[in-house]
Amino acid sequence: MDNINWSELAFGYVKTDYNVRCYYRNGKWGKVEISSSEYVPIHIAATAIHYGQESFEGMKAFKGKDGRVRLFRWEDNAKRMQDSAEGIMMAEPPVELFKEMINKVIKMNMRFVPPYGTGASLYIRPLLIGTGPQVGVRPADEYLLMIFVTPVGPYFKEGFSPVSMLITREFDRAAPLGTGKYKVGGNYAASLTSIKKAHDGGYANVLYLDAKEKKYIDECGPANFFGIKNNTYITPKSDSILPSITNKSLITLAEDMGLKTERRPVVLEELETFDEVGACGTAAVISPINRIKDDESGKVYTYGKDPGEISTKLFNKLIAIQNGDEEDKFGWVDFVE
Ligand code: PLP
Ligand code: COI
């Protein structure tokens, strides 16, 4: 801890002092417990480890110039975790419990909140798992909500520099009527083979097509996709992608800057027409994309080697609000104190 080089931090796990935990038993949530252990004792037949009853969230806290710690849109993450819980039949954590737990875990790990100006932030990872035993395939009757934090740098090592993406039809991450719209572990397990294929080919990640027709753009590894042309911010509408809170925020910022915005199906061929494209998410923030290769047709789509003008403006605006450098006129920021 004493020698964290904040500006060189990667997106990874750093041990902190405490995490928080709360059990759902006998139909109700219990008391919030504070733990300094990195381990979780779990029943050998818990549904999380057999049948994937697991959902997680990701959000960030930022230290401002004024030293205050800002939390970005936590309530949206709380609601999305409730949706994920409902989607795979887990107990839904109340928003108030979620809030109490995030505030507690941040306060107990204040020394790990990266200083202002380092580009790093405190990543907050809530995790909901089925802990009750089942051998037949059915939901658990006991759940555990845990939250740990870890200081992080950029998800893609390039930071705010363009990355390349691979389109492959060899693997899907989510089925058309499956769980792609929930933040559940199974989707990420299903993405590992395609991500390895992308990494082996020198690409930062995978640009997924819709699983049914392979005709439309879905999303970009652990981030949503957007394209910009004709002063318009365009992002895919699909039932099998995660409703990204960053993307939703960028739509608001784009409109505020006078851009038009469209959320609609985006056909693969439209890639040729964009001036700028990028991936967006909590971890990725905005990662501009400079090259997309379709491994079946061999077609390569290229964009500017530097981040585009509109992507840069959106990026700067978003991080200025998150860091408290600009007025929070949309009410996205809460203070931890
Ligand atoms: N899509 C997937 C599959 C993700 O894992 C994430 C990360 O949370 C996102 C998109 C971006 O969502 P958000 O902006 O809410 O972090
Ligand atoms: C996030 O952006 O918060 C994510 O959860 C991405 C993650 C899968 C690494």
Side-chain angles (χ1 to χ4, degrees), residues 20-24 29-33 97 101 128 143-147:
V20 290
R21 307 174 182 207
C22 183
Y23 279 97
Y24 176 90
W29 291 95
K31 271 213 165 63
V32 176
E33 299 164 23
L97 172 66
M101 289 175 73
L128 176 65
Y143 294 87
L144 171 60
L145 174 63
M146 293 173 274
I147 309 186

Side-chain angles (χ1 to χ4, degrees), residues 81 164 191 231 265 332:
M81 179 165 258
S164 58
S191 72
N231 208 37
W332 289 340

